[in-house]
Amino acid sequence: MQRRVFLAGSVLAALAVAAGRGRLRPRTGKPVVADADPLPDGRSLVRGAAVAFGTAVSVAAVHGEPGAAARAVHEALAAIQRVDALMTVYRPESEVSRLNSAGVLSD
C-alpha cells in the first residue's frame, strides 16, 4: 500500500508541475498531449495525461519524430482508458463494478 500511495503522489506531483506550467490539464476524460519538448540529442520528449482508475495518469515518449511520439502517447493513453472502462471500480457501468454488484456478468 505504501508503494501505491507513493507512486500516486509522484504522478500527481508531476502533473501538478506540468499543469502549473500550463502544459497538461486532464480535467475531462479526454487525454491531453502536450507539445514536444526538444532534447539536446535532437529527439523530442512528448508527455500526455488523462484521468483513469480514479486518478491522473501520465505517459511520456522520446522519439526522433515529434509526431510519432505524440501518436504513441495518445494511443497509450487511449489504451489505458479502455482498460479503465472495463476494470475500474469508480464507475458503476464498468464490468468489474457490475460483477461486484451482481455477482455475475450477463453479457
Side-chain angles (χ1 to χ4, degrees):
M1 185 65 172
Q2 294 293 355
R3 178 178 161 86
R4 175 183 256 178
V5 170
F6 172 76
L7 291 175
S10 298
V11 168
L12 291 175
L15 287 173
V17 169
R21 292 189 336 205
R23 300 297 304 265
L24 300 174
R25 295 190 178 157
R27 295 179 186 185
T28 66
K30 295 182 181 179
V32 176
V33 178
D35 293 333
D37 290 324
L39 298 174
D41 64 2
R43 298 179 301 164
S44 296
L45 170 64
V46 177
R47 296 181 181 111
V51 176
F53 307 108
T55 190
V57 295
S58 65
V59 174
V62 175
H63 197 278
E65 182 186 328
R71 285 189 299 278
V73 167
H74 194 282
E75 289 174 15
L77 290 170
I80 289 167
Q81 289 186 314
R82 284 192 301 273
V83 172
D84 175 59
L86 294 171
M87 306 299 287
T88 189
V89 295
Y90 295 100
R91 295 188 330 195
E93 68 275 8
S94 78
E95 290 195 21
V96 167
S97 290
R98 289 185 6 233
L99 178 61
N100 285 343
S101 175
V104 66
L105 291 176
S106 58
D107 4 295

